[in-house]
Amino acid sequence: MSTTFLTIADVAERLQLSAQGVRALILSGDLPAIQVGARHLWRIPEDAFDAYVEAQLARTRSLVAAGNLDNES
């Protein structure tokens, strides 16, 4: 098994969020992650990140189709 892992900083940069925002996604269970090493650093499997993004895109498409989007940018 060859899995690539992303750091919180990697995900924050890709989603243009703060590190705390990414931690909130992890702690809510929305973004699967593991803790590794003695310092219990978070690592996000790249395939889990990709699945999260795809799920959010599908959710947004559904909201747009239903006309239920707010005007937040």
Side-chain angles (χ1 to χ4, degrees):
M1 174 171 119
S2 178
T3 302
T4 302
F5 290 92
L6 304 170
T7 65
I8 285 179
D10 294 333
V11 173
E13 182 178 332
R14 289 181 185 196
L15 293 178
Q16 297 179 354
L17 290 175
S18 67
Q20 189 58 39
V22 175
R23 281 188 197 89
L25 290 173
I26 292 169
L27 295 176
S28 71
D30 290 337
L31 183 60
I34 60 170
Q35 283 188 304
V36 296
R39 294 178 53 205
H40 304 287
L41 299 173
W42 287 108
R43 294 295 181 260
I44 300 92
E46 192 165 31
D47 58 347
F49 172 78
D50 293 340
Y52 172 78
V53 170
E54 287 301 319
Q56 292 305 307
L57 288 169
R59 179 178 172 271
T60 301
R61 282 191 293 271
S62 294
L63 290 172
V64 168
N68 290 333
L69 274 185
D70 59 17
N71 290 329
E72 187 177 319
S73 20

